[in-house]
Amino acid sequence: MNNTIKRTISGVAFVGIMLAGLLLDKFLFAALMMFIMGIMMHEFYTITMGARYRFSRILAILSGEVLFLLLFLVQAFGLQVKFVGMAMLPLLIVMVNSLYVKDKTEFGKFSDIYTGILYIAVPLSLSNLIVFFDHGFDGHILLYFFLLIWSSDIGGFVFGCGLGRYFPKKLLPEVSPKKTWIGFWGGMICSVLTAVIIKSVFNIDAISYYHTVMLAVVMDVAGVYGDLFESQWKRYYDVKDSGLIIPGHGGLLDRFDSTIFAIPVGTLYLIVMNIL
């Protein structure tokens, strides 16, 4: 199949699944996010550790899933926050298990296990905090965040490919040789335009035009750093794509690298500005 057609079909399917998970039902949302988390952590551990320490990796992924599930129960059903600490149990087992690993020559790889939890599991688990209000599910804010991130990614790609030859200055060549400043500014322009259009069309009164623009800007910058952070890992381990789960697009970590940084920053902005 032509690669462009393959990318288009898989891209449309991906967006459709995301919309369903964010808008239809809280249990569908939880299932989708836990699936995404598990695959992303698996991809990260495969990049950094290959096939080593399988048992510890499984426990680390389990720890992330438990953290998400507990926060989901807190937000959706009023579970007491103190029970969130139970997510530490699988992680403690990982630490204890490290004492019994016979081959200590690559013991430092266990730091990658903890990094995967902090880098992927924690930000995705915190998404529960912005989809529940008074124990009611509403994924529109999270969808709004994704639209800003996706428009930034598309704008960066279009501007970078279309104008990169005329404005070739690189953003951070030692980490991502293909990213240019013109792509960065193009992504920001598209993100801001998307934010303003959404506010105007849907007449969102809760946030002013000033905060609409500022939210798009800070999330765009955070998303770019998220992209670069993942690129740094892949470059160090000489990996092109994090996985193959999405035909023509690569792995889920490739698709959500910006999200991991942008959504927590966007949420923090809304909280600090007393909007959320």
Side-chain angles (χ1 to χ4, degrees):
M1 184 184 297
N2 181 279
N3 189 56
T4 302
I5 297 176
K6 183 191 299 183
R7 285 176 60 88
T8 301
I9 294 175
S10 59
V12 170
F14 169 75
V15 171
I17 292 172
M18 290 299 300
L19 289 175
L22 293 174
L23 299 178
L24 295 183
D25 181 77
K26 60 186 176 185
F27 295 108
L28 186 58
F29 161 77
L32 176 63
M33 297 303 290
M34 291 177 71
F35 173 78
I36 290 172
M37 179 192 294
I39 296 298
M40 288 175 64
M41 293 182 73
H42 169 72
E43 290 176 349
F44 177 76
Y45 291 143
T46 300
I47 290 172
T48 57
M49 306 175 70
R52 295 183 290 275
Y53 307 124
R54 289 185 181 274
F55 180 67
S56 294
R57 290 162 53 185
I58 291 172
L59 286 174
I61 294 173
L62 177 62
S63 180
E65 301 285 16
V66 170
L67 175 62
F68 181 95
L69 182 59
L70 289 172
L71 282 176
F72 173 77
L73 293 176
V74 168
Q75 293 297 101
F77 298 101
L79 179 73
Q80 295 185 46
V81 176
K82 64 182 180 181
F83 290 107
V84 174
M86 293 172 59
M88 280 294 296
L89 291 177
L91 184 58
L92 291 175
I93 297 175
V94 173
M95 297 177 183
V96 172
N97 177 65
S98 69
L99 299 173
Y100 296 93
V101 173
K102 294 182 180 179
D103 184 5
K104 303 290 186 179
T105 57
E106 295 192 16
F107 182 74
K109 286 294 181 184
F110 274 83
S111 63
D112 293 330
I113 291 179
Y114 311 132
T115 299
I117 295 173
L118 180 62
Y119 171 40
I120 298 171
V122 172
L124 291 184
S125 296
L126 292 177
S127 65
N128 282 294
L129 302 182
I130 57 175
V131 296
F132 289 100
F133 302 92
D134 297 325
H135 304 304
F137 175 71
D138 186 350
H140 285 89
I141 294 179
L142 189 55
L143 174 60
Y144 177 65
F145 281 1
F146 275 114
L147 291 175
L148 297 186
I149 296 166
W150 293 339
S151 61
S152 175
D153 289 344
I154 294 171
F157 177 78
V158 172
F159 275 73
C161 292
L163 299 176
R165 69 184 70 179
Y166 305 109
F167 303 95
K169 188 174 181 180
K170 303 299 182 181
L171 185 62
L172 203 61
E174 63 271 22
V175 174
S176 185
K178 293 184 179 181
K179 293 191 181 301
T180 59
W181 276 102
I182 190 65
F184 169 79
W185 291 115
M188 182 175 292
I189 290 171
C190 289
S191 183
V192 169
L193 287 175
T194 299
V196 171
I197 290 172
I198 292 175
K199 173 173 171 55
S200 300
V201 171
F202 294 98
N203 193 27
I204 302 174
D205 296 326
I207 180 171
S208 67
Y209 276 102
Y210 170 78
H211 287 303
T212 295
V213 172
M214 289 305 300
L215 178 63
V217 169
V218 298
M219 287 189 64
D220 176 80
V221 173
V224 170
Y225 275 111
D227 192 327
L228 291 171
F229 185 73
E230 192 227 3
S231 295
Q232 182 172 246
W233 285 96
K234 292 195 298 183
R235 187 168 182 81
Y236 180 80
Y237 286 100
D238 194 25
V239 174
K240 183 178 183 296
D241 295 319
S242 66
L244 301 172
I245 192 170
I246 307 177
H249 290 269
L252 288 183
L253 189 56
D254 296 323
R255 301 282 66 81
F256 287 93
D257 51 1
S258 301
T259 303
I260 295 172
F261 278 35
I263 287 181
V265 169
T267 303
L268 181 62
Y269 181 87
L270 293 180
I271 292 173
V272 170
M273 295 302 169
N274 201 29
I275 298 171
L276 187 61

